[in-house]
Amino acid sequence: MRSTCALPTLTMLGAISLCSTATAAVTRSSLPTLSPSRLAAFAPSLSMPAARRGITAQGRTAALMQASPSLVASSPLLPSPLGTKSRINGPQGGLRNPSVVACRAASTDAKEEKKVQEKEDGKPAVKKRVISGVQPTGNLHLGNYLGAIRQWVKNQDEYENYFFVVDLHAITMPHSPAELKKASYDIVALYLACGIDPTKSKIFIQSHVTQHAELCWLLNCVTPMGWMEKMIQYKEKAKKQGESVSVGLFDYPILMAADILLYQAQLVPVGEDQRQHLELSRDIARRFNDLYCKKKSMPAKGRRVFRDPEALIVKEGARIMSLEDGTSKMSKSDPSEGSRINLSDSPDVIRKKIKRCKTDNFDGIEWDNPERPECTNLLNIFQACSGRSREDILEEVKDMRWGEFKPVLAEVVVEHLAPIQARYQELVDDKTYLHQVLREGAEGAEEVAAQTMQWTKNAMGFTSRADLD
């Protein structure tokens, strides 16, 4: 087909197009945008933003005209003018209307140039949303900090973070009401003391955003019982509680799914023991979308309500094990206080716990010997708290006996936790500031939660008070 290109005109994003004004308008409305990778299949030089190629707006027209017809013809799949993929036949190849190629290339190029310019101008890029919660049962310990919280602090500028105290989860087990309230504030104070910045991340208490419980009930009604019966952690905890086990403990994976899906989270920091719960969240999201969002005739009009969350795996080496068993994770639920180092433990308590921790009868100190899990665990703690390399650490401690190594390790841990503990003491005494942080965090979280709930209830066919006006 003969091209209908006329004089160059300015597109919506300021890129020079070889298409006529009418052609450009039709192209923008009817064609899918060429991704950089597909553009590179027939014009590699055009897949790079103009700013990086050193091409000005005036020079882009010439660059587009230099695209090789042979490269265009070599691409097996290209979009037709109607926006469908069509295989190219015939000796000439190319699109049915070559002007479309130039028009779309210019538009895509301008979008990429705009992204580059935004970075240069210091404007924030769109961040992926991350959510994570900690139960207010027991004290946060060294494993929580090194394995999770420290990673959250490092990632605050990279992600949009929602951190909350999951007090609704805490009541699935027997608890003290007075202790629950105190522990909730303590967890928030420790979050802040460890470096979570409320100006970068939302910090709140789960029950302060009522949509968590409401969404949990709605998801209960779309989740098959068979899915829940397969959950491993319920079976393990139910054995310990016996006949006193609650329905809440059975149901808490759905509350966890509600926590994740409520904020349209893209990433969820999880350990291997929580992967099954994340997979359940993904299954529930897909089932809901299939039931209520698939057809355009439904109230959701074909728009999905929930996105599929992905796992954000903690970096290798941050897994801290029990001081009494090198094969089990350090845990708040362990009945033995000597199994963990709490972030609130005094220096003397830390020294005593490390002095009494389980070791072995081997000579020397070494990493990754499968017969010496406790040795590897203590070295991992040493490395995580000191920031030194394995080689540097082993050079110092490899020939030590346990009586020599443990005091050295204890001082490294005490020194590392000292600034966190000092800041924590300041925060627990400043209830006004803690309340302000929690209030602002809950308000910010509720904005997102309310929108998700509106979509969810609309998709399921609920009426709202707004319908009564």
Side-chain angles (χ1 to χ4, degrees):
M1 179 183 291
R2 189 183 182 92
S3 173
T4 58
C5 285
L7 293 174
T9 59
L10 197 64
T11 67
M12 289 169 57
L13 294 176
I16 296 296
S17 169
L18 296 180
C19 305
S20 66
T21 305
T23 304
V26 171
T27 300
R28 286 194 299 272
S29 63
S30 62
L31 280 176
T33 303
L34 285 174
S35 66
S37 59
R38 293 182 66 195
L39 184 61
F42 62 92
S45 65
L46 298 180
S47 65
M48 185 184 300
R52 291 170 59 190
R53 299 199 308 271
I55 299 175
T56 62
Q58 290 77 14
R60 190 177 292 111
T61 300
L64 291 169
M65 292 299 293
Q66 291 171 3
S68 170
S70 62
L71 287 172
V72 175
S74 67
S75 178
L77 285 174
L78 290 172
S80 72
L82 297 178
T84 59
K85 293 181 179 178
S86 59
R87 192 165 293 279
I88 296 175
N89 300 311
Q92 298 302 319
L95 294 175
R96 299 176 193 173
N97 187 345
S99 65
V100 171
V101 176
C103 185
R104 294 309 300 171
S107 177
T108 302
D109 193 47
K111 289 178 182 177
E112 294 188 3
E113 185 173 8
K114 184 179 180 182
K115 291 179 182 178
V116 172
Q117 189 62 43
E118 284 181 353
K119 290 183 180 180
E120 292 174 353
D121 292 344
K123 295 180 180 178
V126 176
K127 298 179 181 180
K128 289 187 176 181
R129 185 173 293 161
V130 175
I131 71 105
S132 191
V134 171
Q135 285 200 36
T137 51
N139 291 309
L140 288 180
H141 54 69
L142 192 64
N144 296 137
Y145 171 63
L146 297 177
I149 299 175
R150 192 163 70 169
Q151 307 301 321
W152 302 346
V153 173
K154 290 180 180 178
N155 293 336
Q156 285 185 103
D157 292 323
E158 185 177 352
Y159 300 114
E160 179 188 359
N161 299 292
Y162 288 67
F163 300 129
F164 51 100
V165 179
V166 289
D167 54 346
L168 295 177
H169 287 280
I171 64 171
T172 60
M173 305 282 282
H175 73 283
S176 162
E179 181 59 30
L180 177 63
K181 180 174 289 189
K182 178 181 182 299
S184 296
Y185 287 124
D186 287 349
I187 294 293
V188 173
L190 282 170
Y191 271 166
L192 298 171
C194 289
I196 299 296
D197 185 346
T199 65
K200 298 179 180 180
S201 305
K202 292 178 175 61
I203 305 172
F204 58 100
I205 293 176
Q206 182 186 30
S207 63
H208 292 184
V209 181
T210 59
Q211 287 86 354
H212 284 263
E214 186 177 9
L215 182 58
C216 177
W217 174 251
L218 299 185
L219 298 183
N220 272 332
C221 297
V222 300
T223 305
M225 180 69 78
W227 290 5
M228 299 300 296
E229 291 173 343
K230 296 177 182 177
M231 303 306 292
I232 297 172
Q233 286 203 357
Y234 167 75
K235 296 177 181 178
E236 294 175 348
K237 292 182 178 180
K239 289 179 182 178
K240 297 178 182 179
Q241 291 194 38
E243 294 183 359
S244 64
V245 63
S246 69
V247 174
L249 183 61
F250 179 78
D251 194 46
Y252 93 96
I254 297 185
L255 178 58
M256 186 181 295
D259 296 337
I260 296 169
L261 301 179
L262 189 61
Y263 298 103
Q264 307 292 340
Q266 286 131 308
L267 296 171
V268 184
V270 293
E272 286 302 320
D273 58 333
Q274 294 290 332
R275 289 297 292 267
Q276 189 183 33
H277 291 153
L278 180 61
E279 288 304 318
L280 177 67
S281 301
R282 291 164 57 85
D283 290 341
I284 292 173
R286 291 167 182 170
R287 179 175 172 82
F288 186 98
N289 290 337
D290 284 343
L291 286 173
Y292 299 110
C293 311
K294 209 167 187 179
K295 298 178 182 179
K296 291 187 178 180
S297 59
M298 294 177 169
K301 301 187 184 303
R303 181 197 178 281
R304 69 175 186 175
V305 171
F306 301 119
R307 63 159 37 105
D308 283 357
E310 301 288 342
L312 180 63
I313 303 298
V314 175
K315 293 180 180 179
E316 185 179 357
R319 189 178 173 89
I320 304 301
M321 313 306 283
S322 167
L323 295 181
E324 296 181 339
D325 180 1
T327 62
S328 299
K329 276 181 62 177
M330 187 174 287
S331 172
K332 291 190 296 180
S333 61
D334 193 314
S336 173
E337 275 289 323
S339 67
R340 59 187 169 271
I341 296 172
N342 299 314
L343 296 186
S344 58
D345 283 344
S346 68
D348 286 342
V349 171
I350 292 172
R351 294 184 184 103
K352 286 179 181 178
K353 287 183 176 181
I354 292 178
K355 183 178 180 180
R356 296 172 182 173
C357 72
K358 182 181 177 181
T359 51
D360 53 49
N361 296 322
F362 289 82
D363 292 330
I365 309 294
E366 61 180 333
W367 241 299
D368 298 331
N369 183 337
E371 297 182 10
R372 308 184 67 186
E374 287 78 20
C375 185
T376 295
N377 183 45
L378 295 181
L379 283 170
N380 284 341
I381 293 174
F382 194 116
Q383 183 181 32
C385 289
S386 68
R388 294 163 58 184
S389 68
R390 285 192 172 198
E391 294 75 16
D392 188 29
I393 293 170
L394 286 178
E395 184 65 28
E396 177 185 349
V397 306
K398 63 182 178 181
D399 297 323
M400 287 184 178
R401 294 181 178 275
W402 288 117
E404 299 172 287
F405 175 71
K406 286 183 177 181
V408 174
L409 172 61
E411 293 311 312
V412 168
V413 175
V414 167
E415 182 179 350
H416 186 73
L417 295 182
I420 295 174
Q421 293 179 338
R423 177 60 177 152
Y424 168 74
Q425 290 301 325
E426 294 176 4
L427 289 164
V428 292
D429 293 334
D430 190 353
K431 286 292 192 295
T432 301
Y433 177 66
L434 288 180
H435 291 173
Q436 177 186 344
V437 168
L438 289 171
R439 187 181 303 108
E440 293 176 355
E443 289 171 354
E446 195 166 36
E447 289 180 9
V448 178
Q451 179 64 78
T452 297
M453 281 305 306
Q454 180 181 335
W455 292 336
T456 304
K457 295 171 79 171
N458 178 65
M460 296 182 78
F462 285 92
T463 61
S464 69
R465 282 185 292 180
D467 297 332
L468 307 180
D469 295 336

